[in-house]
């Protein structure tokens, strides 16, 4: 039976560290760090994510603010809101909660964010810095996975890593981070996707498998090597009338059978997700320390 990479426990520890750092700054007479979020529309999952991000801010002593905009807002009006936040000196960072309504060009919105306030790490300038091993904001999910591997002392040097999925927010940055110099890192990375021929040929040989696919229970025990490390980034809402919320959260991994064969595994929920939330706070803290000294 695999050991659990416990994202709830670790994220609590990291939030505690951030909280202590914040109080030191505030005791010295500095203002608190300030994160803002733009939420367009009322998509259920997005509302929950933003609510939780705001609660996280309160828990660590950050100031937070929320800009709620209607689903029908035009791209131009949204760009205008972003311009206001870009030049707001009281803000250390802000996020635009994704996904955006279909009539808005997501790429155009991300490009409009001031890279120095882009605490989601989605702007191409931050992506480029990440790829070139320069300081910048890392996207929260890949960053959370790196911190998890580091704090659990999972060895990555020279290991064969297979990433499943090439999204701009998870798969692609994850593949870059694991192939960078350093610890965690120094891995030999294969980035697989929908056009990959014979995926299992890769996953069977991998020391570490990171799945960011969004297909519930996709990764089976027969697809992995004995003792592999499994990181599950999938969080699909699956309808379930027996649950009070009407759904359950499913990962990309068939947990019970894969856990029996793996050495380490992240659960869903309670694995990568909570780390993602904690890393938004870490990026905001980084922006704050850049700003106040
Ligand atoms: C957990 C997200 C897809 C699209 C937009 C904890 C989160 C999720 C799961 C969370 C996500 C996913 C977020 C768990 C933020 C991660 O216990 O398993 C926390 O809040 N996330 C988001 O803001 O936008 C998304 C996924």
């Amino acid at each position: 039976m695999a050991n659990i990479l416990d994202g709830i426990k670790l994220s609590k520890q990291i939030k505690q560290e951030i909280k202590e750092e914040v109080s030191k700054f505030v005791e010295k007479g500095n203002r608190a760090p300030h994160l803002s979020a733009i939420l367009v529309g009322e998509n259920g999952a997005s509302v929950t994510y933003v609510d939780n991000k705001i609660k996280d801010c309160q828990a660590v002593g950050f100031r937070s603010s929320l800009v709620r905009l209607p689903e029908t807002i035009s791209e131009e009006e949204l760009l205008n809101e972003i311009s206001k936040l870009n030049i707001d000196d009281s803000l250390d960072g802000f996020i635009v909660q994704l996904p955006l309504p279909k009539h808005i060009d997501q790429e155009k919105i991300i490009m409009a964010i001031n890279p120095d306030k882009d605490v989601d790490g989605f702007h191409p300038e931050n992506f480029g810095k990440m790829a070139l091993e320069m300081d910048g904001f890392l996207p929260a999910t890949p960053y959370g996975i790196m911190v998890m591997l580091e704090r659990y002392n999972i060895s990555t040097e020279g290991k064969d890593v297979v990433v499943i999925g090439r999204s701009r927010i998870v798969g692609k940055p994850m593949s870059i981070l694991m192939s960078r110099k350093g610890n965690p890192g120094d891995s030999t990375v294969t980035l697989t996707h929908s056009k990959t021929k014979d995926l299992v040929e890769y996953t069977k040989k991998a020391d570490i498998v990171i799945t960011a696919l969004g297909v519930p229970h996709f990764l089976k025990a027969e697809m992995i090597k004995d003792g592999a490390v499994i990181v599950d980034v999938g969080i699909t809402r699956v309808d379930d009338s027996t649950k009070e919320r009407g759904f359950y959260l499913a990962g990309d991994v068939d947990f019970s059978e894969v856990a029996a064969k793996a050495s380490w595994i992240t659960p869903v929920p309670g694995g990568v997700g909570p780390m993602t939330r904690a890393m938004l706070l870490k990026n905001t803290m980084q922006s704050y320390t850049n700003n106040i000294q």
Side-chain angles (χ1 to χ4, degrees):
M1 183 63 189
N3 299 294
I4 301 293
L5 294 162
D6 186 342
I8 296 179
K9 188 171 128 193
L10 185 51
S11 66
K12 278 186 185 155
Q13 196 180 314
I14 288 165
K15 282 191 267 185
Q16 183 57 34
E17 292 165 13
I18 294 172
K19 186 179 173 181
E20 285 166 18
E21 205 185 343
V22 171
S23 34
K24 281 189 197 138
F25 279 105
V26 173
E27 277 163 23
K28 279 189 278 181
N30 294 293
R31 65 171 177 85
H34 182 188
L35 174 69
S36 186
I38 297 183
L39 173 58
V40 180
E42 9 235 293
N43 172 281
S46 294
V47 172
T48 306
Y49 291 146
V50 170
D51 276 353
N52 287 334
K53 289 169 189 180
I54 293 204
K55 282 183 195 142
D56 289 338
C57 285
Q58 284 156 355
V60 299
F62 285 8
R63 184 179 158 201
S64 62
S65 43
L66 173 58
V67 181
R68 285 203 74 158
L69 301 167
E71 186 84 27
T72 52
I73 191 169
S74 70
E75 192 176 270
E76 196 188 340
E77 288 169 305
L78 179 55
L79 289 169
N80 195 40
E81 293 294 332
I82 290 170
S83 306
K84 286 192 236 164
L85 300 191
N86 277 343
I87 56 166
D88 183 342
D89 288 335
S90 82
L91 281 180
D92 297 292
F94 69 93
I95 63 159
V96 179
Q97 181 64 41
L98 301 182
L100 290 167
K102 294 218 166 33
H103 65 276
I104 294 173
D105 181 352
Q106 189 168 294
E107 209 68 40
K108 208 165 165 184
I109 299 305
I110 291 171
M111 289 282 284
I113 299 172
N114 174 356
D116 295 330
K117 286 196 165 72
D118 171 38
V119 287
D120 257 341
F122 293 166
H123 190 282
E125 180 174 316
N126 284 312
F127 193 98
K129 285 181 167 173
M130 171 192 64
L132 298 171
E133 315 196 0
M134 298 161 72
D135 287 338
F137 299 115
L138 300 179
T141 300
Y143 190 11
I145 295 169
M146 296 302 275
V147 170
M148 199 171 216
L149 296 173
E150 182 188 16
R151 299 277 181 116
Y152 274 95
N153 282 311
I154 306 291
S155 137
T156 62
E157 183 184 320
K159 296 291 193 266
D160 291 319
V161 172
V162 167
V163 178
I164 308 177
R166 55 179 158 183
S167 70
R168 65 172 287 157
I169 289 168
V170 185
K172 209 167 279 168
M174 199 62 230
S175 69
I176 291 169
L177 287 172
M178 292 302 284
S179 60
R180 295 203 316 188
K181 292 191 184 79
N183 179 50
D186 289 328
S187 302
T188 304
V189 180
T190 306
L191 180 57
T192 67
H193 47 76
S194 54
K195 298 287 164 40
T196 297
K197 282 186 253 167
D198 223 340
L199 173 70
V200 177
E201 283 303 307
Y202 295 96
T203 57
K204 269 197 312 203
K205 295 195 178 105
D207 302 303
I208 302 173
V209 179
I210 302 167
T211 66
L213 197 63
V215 179
H217 315 301
F218 173 81
L219 194 78
K220 306 285 185 194
E222 65 192 33
M223 298 167 74
I224 70 157
K225 185 164 95 174
D226 251 313
V229 175
I230 309 296
V231 177
D232 188 352
V233 190
I235 35 143
T236 309
R237 288 184 166 196
V238 179
D239 289 338
D240 182 352
S241 56
T242 71
K243 295 275 191 298
E244 201 177 323
R245 301 185 296 181
F247 65 88
Y248 73 93
L249 283 184
D252 290 345
V253 176
D254 192 326
F255 186 86
S256 54
E257 60 172 75
V258 171
K261 198 173 176 186
S263 60
W264 290 93
I265 190 167
T266 62
V268 174
V272 174
M275 294 301 294
T276 298
R277 274 167 60 181
M279 293 307 111
L280 176 62
L281 301 173
K282 254 192 137 28
N283 277 341
T284 306
M285 196 66 206
Q286 187 194 314
S287 183
Y288 171 74
T289 53
N290 293 346
N291 287 342
I292 64 165
Q293 25 230 357

